[in-house]
Amino acid sequence: RAGPSGAAPAGGGWEERQAMRDEKAASLPPEPAEGTAACTFMVRLPAGAQHSRRFRLTDQVQHLYDFVDSVADEATPPPGGYRLAVRFPRRVLEPREGCTLEACGIQPGKEALVLEC
């Protein structure tokens, strides 16, 4: 909602988050074809919605964060306000520069992501 000067209020709002969601979605690598070494990740957002997507093991961990940001709802913390972890064995996936899913110990198959605030 615009303030008295016609500008958006400081700190942004849901409209800005929606624009960011679109940008993050457009930046994701294409989903791999069946038969490719890949992992399907499922995440449940704080409001209860579930989303899943396939990633190559050579994709960067940052792509998981971009995926979550691209499906975020109003209850999801903003980018940088959460961490992603896998359950078994439990480990946090840090979006370090150039770190691939495979380098973080992700194997082909399925993983449930835990969004830690």
Side-chain angles (χ1 to χ4, degrees):
R1 179 171 212 139
S5 67
W14 181 239
E15 293 81 14
E16 288 182 22
R17 283 238 9 227
Q18 287 178 313
M20 182 269 315
R21 286 173 43 164
D22 295 341
E23 290 174 20
K24 296 279 186 161
S27 75
L28 292 173
E31 287 193 62
E34 290 294 326
T36 304
C39 186
T40 300
F41 290 90
M42 191 281 296
V43 63
R44 182 185 308 270
L45 300 178
Q50 292 184 39
H51 299 273
S52 63
R53 190 180 192 285
R54 288 173 45 85
F55 289 90
R56 288 176 183 80
L57 300 180
T58 55
D59 285 337
Q60 295 184 21
V61 171
Q62 180 61 51
H63 292 137
L64 291 179
Y65 282 82
D66 291 344
F67 166 63
V68 172
D69 293 340
S70 76
V71 297
D73 55 32
E74 294 184 62
T76 305
Y82 64 90
R83 299 183 316 168
L84 296 175
V86 293
R87 295 180 186 206
F88 302 110
R90 190 202 170 284
R91 62 192 177 279
V92 173
L93 301 175
E94 297 289 347
R96 294 186 302 270
E97 182 68 32
C99 187
T100 66
L101 298 172
E102 189 171 41
C104 289
I106 300 298
Q107 301 293 317
K110 295 182 179 182
E111 289 279 358
L113 291 173
V114 178
L115 195 137
E116 298 179 341
C117 303

